[in-house]
C-alpha cells in the first residue's frame, strides 16, 4: 500500500485497486487546484472497469402503440407487436420478455409455431423474421426480405413448416420455415380469379387452410373476392364475388361453412354447397329505420366463429356500430345463440383473439376466453360465465393510467416496507373479476438468489403517486396515493388554477422519500409541496398550510405594449451588450379582477378530513403570487427527518421550513445568500426581461406553451405522451453543433426544470427560448451568438438546482461537524448554510432552529446536480434520519413515543474524531471532490465538453461507491470515488428525448430506469455481476409440453371428409417439385441466432471502444510494471550471454575426449 501526501501539484496516481493518495491529472481525473491537505487521504479503491457492463434487464408496462397479437394455445404464451418494432412476450407472472427488431419497422402480424418455441413476425418493411424462443433472450434465426412485393397477411397451419404469405399485389407466396427460403410455388392473382374479371381483386387480406382438407387454401381479397385454391390441382375450386369489402374470414370447425366480416357492418355466412350467394346476411347493430332502410354501420374489422359442444356457437366481432351514435365507445360484441352482449372498451380495439382448448382447427373449438388488445390496455374476458367478467390482469399494464411525469427508484429498501404498503394497498383493490386463474400461464420463473427489496415510485399528471414492488426484476402495484384530495376541486374555467394550468393542476413534478422514517414529499406543478407521514391507522386530521413568498423583487419592468405581437422574451434587449432601458408597467395591463398578490394557485381543504391508513398529509406549502406574477416552478427539494427540516428552491431563491413546528425558518433570494461572498460581478438590474414574458408565460414545468386568442396557459404532456418527441430530437441534434450547443441545452433544461437557467461557463449570449410556436422555437436556435457579453451580465436570476442536508463543516474554522444545508445553483456555485438544531426532544418542539449566514462558497462549471459525502476511507455517509413511529397509534404509558434519531458521523470510521470528510459535487459538466473542512479540491474531472449531464447519483456497486452520470447525448458513465477515474463510458442511447431526460434515475446495486415510452418503464443495469446473473433471473419462455393428440375421426367421417391427412406439402412446395423462386423476389438474411449473438452488449463497437479507452488508463501502470520486469529479464539475459560466451571461449580448443 502506497501513501501519497498532496504537497506538489501534479503528483498523480490512478492505480486500480491501489491506494488513492493525491489527485490525478490529465483527462482521467483532472488537475488539483488546492493547497496541500493537512492529512493523508488513505482510500483503497476496489472498482475497476471490469466491474461494469451496460445491458437492458426488463421492460415493464403496456406495449406502446400496439399493432399485432398472437397466442400459443399449447405453451399458453402471448405475443404483442408494436409500431416501433418491439415484441413483448408474456406468460405467467414473472415471464415477461421484450424483443426489438433492429430495423424498428412496425410489426404487422405475429404467428407462433405452436409448441415449437418459435415465433414469426411480419414487419412493415416487408421482412419476415423467425425468432427462437427456446432461450431466455430470444434471437432472430432467419430473416427474409421481400424486394418487389409488400406483405399484407401471413398464415401458418398447425404442425406445418410452410408459411403462406399474401401480398399487396394479390399474390400468395410460400416460405419454408426451417430454411426461410421461398418456394417456387406461387399462386398468382390472375390465376386465382377468372380471366374474364376486368378489375384487380386488391391485396390479400385473409389466408387459411380448410379444416376439412389441408390441401385447400381459402384466399380473401380486399375487394370482396374469395377464392378456394386447390393446392394439388393448382386451380380454383370456387370463386365468390361480393359487393362489400372483406376485412376477415373465420371457418366453422367442420369446414363446410365460413363467416366473413365486411366494411358495411354486415356478417355473411357462406355454405360450400352453394357459393353463388351467402347463406345468411346479418347486420348485428343495424336497425331498420322509419323509412324502411337499414342504418349505415361502421366496418366489422374482425370476426371469429367458434363452436362449443355444450352450447350454441360463439360469434365474436369488433366494430359494426351504427354511424349515427356519436360518442359511442369502441365495442366488442359477443353473440351466443340469441343473446347479444356488447362490451364497451375505454380505448380503440387494435386486435382481439379467442382462446380455445384445442390447437386443431378441425375440432370443436371450445372457446374459454377472449384476449382484447386495446390501444392502451390489455383485457381478457372470461367466456365461461354468462356475464362475461374480465380477468384481473397480473401484469403492470396501468403505469400510464395517467401520464407519468416523474420517477424515483430505491434499491435495498428496508425489508418491512413492501409488506406494509401492500397490505394497505390491497384494501382498495377493485372487485368483480373472474374467479378463474389467469389463462396466459406459460413459461417458468423462479425467484433468483440475487434479489433484494426494490421500490419504484411514479408520479402522474393527475396528481396520483404509485408505489411499485420492483424486487427480482418484476413489477407489482403496492399502493396508490392521490395528492389531489388535499385540495378543493377547482371549478372548471374559473379561479386561479384555471388561469395557470387548465388541465392537471395537481401534476407531480418531483418526489422525495425517506424509506427509514417513511416521510414522503411531493412537489406539484402548481408550485406546491405536500408532506406525508405514514400511519397504519385512520385518523381525523386538519391539514396545516404554509404560504411562502419566494419571488425576486422587480425594481421596474417593461411594458407589454412594447412587444405586443411577440409572446416570447424581449428580443432587442437580449442581444444588447448594455443593460435594458426599462419602464414601469402601465395600469392598463392588469387582469380584470386586478393584480393578484399573496394568493396561492390552489385552495387547501380547511376542514377536518377523515384519512384512511397509509400516507396521510400533514403539511402543505404553497408559493404565492406576487404583484400579478405567478410563482415559479420548484426546482429542488430535500427533506431530513432527523432534523425535522424541509428545504426547497426555485429560480428565485431558497426556503427552509421546520415541519415539526410548522414554521418558515428561511426565505431568501439566491443573491442574498451570498452576502459579501458573491463570486460574480453582477450588473444591477431587474431579473425580469419584460412583464409579458413573466406574467403570462410562467409555470413552465411539464408544460409546452402555445399562444391562443386569450393567451392562457394550458398544460400539455406532448413530450411525455408522443411516440417521438420531434422538437426535442431537433433540439438535441442541434446541440451537437458548435454554434448552437448552449441554446439547445438551455431549451432542454427549460423544459426539464421549468425555469430559465444560466451557467457561468457559457460565455456567449443566446436567443431566449420561445414557447409559443414551432416556427419561433426553431428560429431561436439559429440566431447569431456573436455577442461576447456573458449571460450572467444579462440575467441575474440564478436557480437553486439541488439541495442536501447533512452533517458537515460550514466554515474552514469549524472543528466538529454540524447540521448543514448544501445549496447548489445553476451558476455552478455551492453554498453551505450551517444550522443549529436543539437536540432535546422537548426543546426541539419549542426552541427555534437557528440558521447562520452562508459559510463556504465552492465553484464548479455549469449547473450543480448532486451532492454526496464520503468518510476519509471512501465509504458513503448516509444522511441522518428519524426511525419511523406511528403518530396515530394508541398511547402506551410504559413506552412513551419519543423521537429516535440515527446519525452517521463523518468520522465514524476514523480513529480520531473531527478529522473531516470528503464532499462529492457533480455539475452538468464537471465533478469535484473536496476535503472538508479545509475546502481544498482534491480531484476534478471534466465529464463532458460537447454535451451536459442530465442525471448524476453517487451509488453503491460491488461493495464500493461510484459516481454514475447520464448525459444528454445518451452516454452513461461511471467514475470512481474519490479519484474520479472513468470506469465506464457507453453510448447507450443515440438521442435523448425529454421523456427520458425527466425520468432517468440511478439507484444502488448498479441499476437504473427510465420511461422508454409513455407507457413503459425500461430497467437497465451497469453492473457486470448483474449482467452475468441476468440469465438466472429471467423467466423461461418455452417449457417442453407434449402436443395434445388429435381427436379420433370416425370411419365414415374420415371416409367422406376428404383426404386431409394424406396431403404432403413437401411434395408440392419443395424444390424438387416447385423449383426455385426468383432470387430478386426475396433476400434471405441469416440471423444472429445464438445466445451470444442476442446478448445485449455495451451498445456495440462504440461501447467497446469506450471501455477499451478507459481500460488503457488502468493498464498503464501494469505496462509500467511489465516494462520493469522486461528490463530485469534483459539484464539477466545479458549476464547469461556473457557467462555463456566466456564458457565457450574456455572450451572451444578442447577436444571431445578432454571433457
Amino acid at each position: 500500500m502506497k501513501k501519497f501526501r498532496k504537497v506538489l501539484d501534479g503528483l498523480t496516481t490512478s492505480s486500480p485497486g491501489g491506494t488513492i493518495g493525491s489527485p490525478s491529472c490529465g483527462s482521467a481525473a483532472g488537475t488539483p487546484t488546492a493547497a496541500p491537505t493537512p492529512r493523508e487521504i488513505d482510500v483503497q479503491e476496489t472498482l475497476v472497469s471490469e466491474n461494469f457492463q451496460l445491458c437492458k434487464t426488463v421492460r415493464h408496462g403496456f406495449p406502446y402503440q400496439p399493432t399485432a397479437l398472437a397466442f400459443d394455445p399449447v405453451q399458453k404464451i402471448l405475443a404483442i407487436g408494436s409500431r416501433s418494432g418491439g415484441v413483448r412476450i408474456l406468460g405467467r407472472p414473472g415471464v415477461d420478455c421484450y424483443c426489438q427488431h433492429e430495423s424498428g419497422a412496425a410489426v404487422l402480424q405475429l404467428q407462433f409455431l405452436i409448441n415449437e418455441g418459435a415465433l414469426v413476425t411480419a414487419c412493415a418493411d416487408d421482412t419476415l423474421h423467425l425468432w427462437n424462443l427456446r432461450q431466455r433472450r430470444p434471437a432472430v434465426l432467419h430473416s427474409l426480405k421481400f424486394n418487389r412485393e409488400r406483405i399484407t397477411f401471413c398464415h401458418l397451419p398447425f404442425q406445418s413448416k410452410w408459411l403462406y404469405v399474401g401480398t399487396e399485389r394479390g399474390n400468395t407466396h410460400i416460405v419454408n420455415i426451417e430454411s426461410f427460403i421461398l418456394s417456387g410455388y406461387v399462386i398468382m392473382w390472375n390465376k386465382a380469379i377468372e380471366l374474364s374479371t376486368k378489375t384487380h381483386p386488391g391485396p390479400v387480406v385473409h389466408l387459411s387452410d380448410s379444416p376439412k382438407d389441408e390441401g385447400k387454401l381459402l384466399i380473401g381479397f380486399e375487394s370482396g373476392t374469395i377464392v378456394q385454391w386447390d393446392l394439388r390441382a393448382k386451380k380454383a375450386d370456387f370463386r365468390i364475388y361480393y359487393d362489400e369489402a372483406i376485412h376477415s374470414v373465420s371457418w366453422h370447425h367442420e369446414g363446410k361453412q365460413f363467416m366473413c366480416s365486411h366494411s358495411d357492418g354486415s356478417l355473411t355466412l357462406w355454405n360450400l354447397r352453394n357459393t353463388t350467394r351467402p347463406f345468411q346476411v346479418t347486420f348485428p347493430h343495424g336497425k331498420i329505420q322509419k323509412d324502411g332502410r337499414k342504418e349505415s354501420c361502421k366496418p366489422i374489422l374482425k370476426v371469429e366463429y367458434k363452436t362449443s359442444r355444450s352450447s350454441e356457437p360463439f360469434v365474436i366481432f369488433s366494430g359494426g356500430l351504427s354511424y349515427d351514435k356519436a360518442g359511442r365507445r369502441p365495442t366488442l360484441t359477443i353473440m351466443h345463440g340469441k343473446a347479444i352482449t356488447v362490451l364497451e372498451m375505454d380505448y380503440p380495439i387494435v386486435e382481439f383473439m379467442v382462446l380455445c382448448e384445442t390447437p386443431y382447427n378441425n375440432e370443436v373449438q371450445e372457446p374459454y376466453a377472449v384476449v382484447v388488445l386495446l390501444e392502451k390496455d390489455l383485457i381478457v374476458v372470461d367466456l365461461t360465465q354468462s356475464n362475461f367478467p374480465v380477468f384481473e390482469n397480473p401484469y403492470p399494464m396501468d403505469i400510464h393510467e395517467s401520464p407519468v411525469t416523474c420517477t424515483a427508484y430505491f434499491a435495498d429498501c428496508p425489508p418491512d416496507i413492501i409488506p406494509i404498503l401492500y397490505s394497505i394497498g390491497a384494501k382498495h383493490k377493485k372487485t368483480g373479476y373472474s374467479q378463474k386463474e389467469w389463462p396466459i400461464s406459460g413459461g417458468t420463473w423462479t425467484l433468483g438468489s440475487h434479489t433484494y427489496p426494490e421500490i419504484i415510485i411514479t408520479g402522474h399528471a393527475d396528481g396520483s403517486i404509485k408505489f411499485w414492488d420492483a424486487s427480482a426484476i418484476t413489477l407489482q402495484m403496492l399502493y396508490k396515493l392521490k395528492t389531489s384530495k388535499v385540495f378543493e376541486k377547482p371549478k372548471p374555467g374559473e379561479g386561479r388554477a384555471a388561469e395557470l394550468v387548465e388541465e392537471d393542476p395537481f401534476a407531480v413534478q418531483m418526489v422525495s422519500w425517506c424509506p427509514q422514517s417513511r416521510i414522503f414529499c411531493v412537489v406539484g406543478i402548481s408550485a406546491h409541496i405536500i408532506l406525508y407521514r405514514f400511519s397504519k391507522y385512520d385518523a381525523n386530521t386538519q391539514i396545516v398550510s404554509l404560504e411562502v413568498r419566494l419571488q425576486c423583487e422587480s425594481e421596474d419592468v417593461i411594458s407589454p405594449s412594447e412587444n405586443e405581437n411577440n409572446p416570447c422574451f424581449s428580443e432587442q434587449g437580449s442581444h444588447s451588450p448594455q443593460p435594458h432601458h426599462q419602464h414601469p408597467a402601465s395600469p392598463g395591463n392588469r387582469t380584470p379582477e386586478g393584480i393578484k398578490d399573496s394568493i396561492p394557485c390552489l385552495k387547501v381543504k380547511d376542514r377536518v378530513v377523515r384519512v384512511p391508513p397509509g400516507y396521510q398529509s400533514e403539511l402543505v406549502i404553497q408559493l404565492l403570487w406576487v404583484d400579478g406574477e405567478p410563482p415559479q416552478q420548484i426546482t429542488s427539494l430535500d427533506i431530513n427527518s432527523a432534523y425535522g427540516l424541509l428545504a426547497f428552491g426555485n429560480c428565485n431563491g431558497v426556503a427552509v421550513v421546520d415541519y415539526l413546528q410548522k414554521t418558515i425558518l428561511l426565505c431568501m433570494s439566491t443573491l442574498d445568500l451570498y452576502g459579501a461572498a458573491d463570486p460574480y460581478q453582477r450588473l444591477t438590474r431587474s431579473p425580469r426581461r419584460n412583464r409579458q414574458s413573466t406574467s403570462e408565460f410562467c409555470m413552465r414545468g411539464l408544460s409546452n406553451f402555445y399562444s391562443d386568442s386569450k393567451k392562457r396557459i394550458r398544460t400539455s404532456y406532448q413530450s411525455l405522451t408522443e411516440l417521438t418527441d420531434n422538437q426535442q430530437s431537433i433540439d438535441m441534434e442541434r446541440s451537437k453543433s458548435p454554434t448552437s450547443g448552449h441554446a439547445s441545452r438551455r431549451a432542454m433544461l427549460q423544459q426539464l426544470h421549468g425555469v430559465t437557467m444560466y451557467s457561468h461557463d457559457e460565455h456567449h449570449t443566446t436567443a431566449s427560448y420561445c414557447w409559443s410556436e414551432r416556427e419561433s422555437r426553431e428560429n431561436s436556435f439559429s440566431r447569431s451568438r456573436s455577442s461576447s457579453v456573458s449571460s450572467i451580465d444579462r440575467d441575474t436570476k440564478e436557480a437553486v438546482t439541488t439541495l442536501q442536508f447533512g452533517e458537515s463543516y460550514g466554515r474552514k474554522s469549524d472543528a466538529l461537524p454540524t447540521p448543514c444545508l448544501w445549496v447548489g445553483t445553476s451558476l455552478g456555485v455551492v453554498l453551505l448554510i450551517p444550522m443549529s438544531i436543539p437536540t432535546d426532544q422537548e426543546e426541539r418542539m419549542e426552541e427555534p432552529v437557528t440558521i447562520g449566514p452562508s459559510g463556504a462558497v465552492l465553484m464548479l462549471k455549469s449547473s450543480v446536480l448532486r451532492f454526496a459525502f464520503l468518510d476519509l476511507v471512501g465509504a458513503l455517509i448516509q444522511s441522518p434520519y428519524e426511525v419511523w413511529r406511528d403518530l396515530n397509534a394508541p398511547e402506551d404509558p410504559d413506552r412513551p413515543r419519543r423521537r429516535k434519531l440515527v446519525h452517521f458521523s463523518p468520522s465514524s470510521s476514523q480513529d480520531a474524531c473531527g478529522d473531516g470528510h470528503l464532499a462529492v459535487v457533480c455539475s452538468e459538466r464537471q465533478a469535484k471532490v473536496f476535503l472538508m473542512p479545509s475546502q481544498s479540491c482534491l480531484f476534478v474531472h471534466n465529464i463532458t465538453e460537447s454535451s451536459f449531464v442530465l442525471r448524476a447519483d453517487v451509488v453503491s456497486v460491488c461493495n464500493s461507491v461510484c459516481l454514475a452520470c447520464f448525459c444528454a447525448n445518451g452516454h452513461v458513465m461511471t467514475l470512481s470515488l474519490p479519484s474520479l477515474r472513468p470506469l465506464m463510458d457507453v453510448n447507450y442511447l443515440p438521442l435523448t428525448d425529454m421523456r427520458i431526460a425527466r425520468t432517468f434515475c440511478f439507484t444502488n446495486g448498479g441499476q437504473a430506469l427510465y420511461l422508454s415510452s409513455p407507457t413503459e418503464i425500461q430497467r437497465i443495469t451497469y453492473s457486470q455481476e448483474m449482467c452475468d446473473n441476468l440469465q438466472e433471473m429471467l423467466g423461461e419462455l418455452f417449457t417442453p409440453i407434449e402436443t395434445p393428440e388429435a381427436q379420433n375421426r370416425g370411419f365414415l367421417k374420415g371416409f367422406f371428409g376428404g383426404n386431409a391427412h394424406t396431403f404432403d406439402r413437401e411434395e408440392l412446395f419443395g424444390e424438387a417439385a416447385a423449383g426455385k423462386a426468383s432470387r430478386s423476389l426475396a433476400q434471405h438474411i441469416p440471423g444472429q441466432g445464438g445466445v451470444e449473438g442476442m446478448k445485449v452488449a455495451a451498445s456495440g463497437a462504440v461501447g467497446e471502444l469506450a471501455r477499451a479507452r478507459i481500460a488503457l488508463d488502468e493498464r498503464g501502470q501494469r505496462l509500467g510494471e511489465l516494462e520493469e520486469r522486461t528490463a530485469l529479464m534483459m539484464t539477466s539475459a545479458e549476464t547469461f550471454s556473457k557467462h555463456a560466451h566466456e564458457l565457450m571461449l574456455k572450451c572451444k580448443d578442447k577436444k571431445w575426449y578432454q571433457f
Side-chain angles (χ1 to χ4, degrees), residues 808-870:
S808 188
Y809 301 85
R811 297 171 184 81
K812 290 184 179 181
S813 57
D814 288 354
L816 294 173
T818 58
C820 289
L821 175 63
W822 287 64
V823 181
T825 76
S826 56
L827 295 180
V829 178
V830 179
L831 298 163
L832 271 73
I833 302 176
M835 299 175 295
S836 176
I837 302 174
T839 55
D840 183 74
Q841 179 170 346
E842 284 74 18
E843 290 181 1
R844 176 65 185 87
M845 299 305 294
E846 296 172 2
E847 297 294 324
V849 174
T850 56
I851 297 180
S854 296
V857 177
L858 310 174
M859 298 289 297
L860 282 87
K861 286 183 183 178
S862 199
S863 179
V864 181
L865 295 178
R866 188 67 60 201
F867 298 120
F869 309 120
L870 309 177

Side-chain angles (χ1 to χ4, degrees), residues 349-644:
I349 297 173
V350 175
E351 172 74 287
F352 75 89
M353 183 165 288
V354 180
L355 308 187
C356 301
E357 296 288 355
T358 176
Y360 297 94
N361 65 346
N362 58 359
E363 295 180 358
V364 180
Q365 298 297 287
E366 295 291 353
Y368 60 90
V370 185
V371 179
V372 188
L373 179 63
L374 308 178
E375 274 191 2
K376 294 184 179 180
D377 204 357
L378 179 72
I379 292 173
V380 182
V381 180
D382 186 355
L383 292 179
T384 62
Q385 299 182 44
S386 57
N387 61 339
F388 303 127
V390 297
F391 289 89
E392 185 177 6
N393 196 328
Y395 314 126
M397 291 289 185
D398 58 346
I399 292 173
H400 62 286
E401 186 178 18
S402 173
V404 177
T405 53
C406 74
T407 58
Y409 192 6
F410 299 88
D412 218 359
C413 300
D416 60 336
I417 192 73
I418 290 178
I420 289 175
L421 287 172
Y422 181 79
S423 63
I424 290 178
K427 297 175 184 177
H428 305 285
K429 282 198 170 184
K430 296 178 182 177
T431 57
Y433 292 112
S434 171
Q435 299 301 312
K436 296 201 170 183
E437 289 187 6
W438 180 252
I440 305 163
S441 56
T444 55
W445 179 77
T446 55
L447 197 64
S449 57
H450 300 80
T451 59
Y452 41 83
E454 299 175 72
I455 286 181
I456 293 172
I457 299 176
T458 54
H460 299 264
D462 64 353
S464 61
I465 304 283
K466 291 181 180 178
F467 289 77
W468 305 85
D469 178 9
S471 309
I473 68 168
T474 61
L475 196 69
Q476 183 181 10
M477 173 89 153
L478 289 174
Y479 174 72
K480 183 177 179 180
L481 174 67
K482 294 182 179 178
T483 63
S484 59
K485 290 187 175 181
V486 172
F487 302 100
E488 301 285 359
K489 291 183 179 178
K491 296 179 181 179
E494 296 181 11
R496 298 162 292 196
E499 293 187 11
L500 285 175
V501 278
E502 289 185 353
E503 303 165 2
D504 306 320
F506 312 112
V508 178
Q509 200 174 5
M510 200 183 310
V511 295
S512 178
W513 187 46
C514 176
Q516 289 81 12
S517 63
R518 301 182 190 174
I519 285 182
F520 185 58
C521 258
V522 178
V523 175
I525 196 172
S526 298
H528 64 270
I529 300 172
I530 310 173
L531 185 142
Y532 290 90
R533 282 186 184 268
F534 187 83
S535 175
K536 294 190 286 186
Y537 304 91
D538 56 1
N540 295 316
T541 182
Q542 174 86 41
I543 303 169
V544 179
S545 177
L546 288 178
E547 296 177 346
V548 180
R549 288 174 67 98
L550 191 58
Q551 197 84 351
C552 280
E553 295 296 331
S554 61
E555 297 150 9
D556 42 24
V557 291
I558 294 176
S559 168
S561 61
E562 296 178 2
N563 293 300
E564 281 181 0
N565 299 322
N566 185 11
C568 304
F569 290 120
S570 169
E571 197 54 49
Q572 49 197 357
S574 61
H575 285 285
S576 174
Q578 65 267 9
H580 297 307
H581 297 286
Q582 300 170 342
H583 309 282
S586 60
N589 296 308
R590 297 187 178 192
T591 54
E593 68 268 29
I595 292 179
K596 296 179 178 179
D597 187 43
S598 300
I599 55 173
C601 299
L602 300 171
K603 181 171 173 34
V604 179
K605 290 180 180 177
D606 54 3
R607 60 187 182 275
V608 176
V609 292
R610 184 79 174 172
V611 289
Y615 273 104
Q616 301 168 351
S617 55
E618 179 177 300
L619 176 67
V620 177
I621 303 166
Q622 290 183 285
L623 298 186
L624 300 175
W625 285 66
V626 178
D627 294 330
E629 300 282 346
Q632 294 285 344
Q633 290 286 288
I634 294 168
T635 56
S636 55
L637 171 77
D638 192 39
I639 186 167
N640 189 283
S641 57
Y643 300 160

Side-chain angles (χ1 to χ4, degrees), residues 574-578 763-766 784-790 794:
S574 61
H575 285 285
S576 174
Q578 65 267 9
H763 298 297
H764 301 282
T765 58
T766 55
S784 169
R785 297 175 55 216
S786 58
S787 172
S788 60
V789 179
S790 172
R794 295 188 300 100

Side-chain angles (χ1 to χ4, degrees), residues 198-215:
K198 296 180 180 179
T199 57
H200 190 278
V204 175
V205 296
H206 177 80
L207 292 168
S208 63
D209 52 330
S210 168
K212 189 177 178 182
D213 185 354
E214 293 176 340

Side-chain angles (χ1 to χ4, degrees), residues 247 262-266 297-302 318-321 323:
H247 285 283
H262 300 277
S263 57
D264 63 346
S266 67
C297 296
K298 298 176 184 177
I300 295 179
L301 301 178
K302 183 177 181 180
S318 60
L321 290 179
Y323 277 105

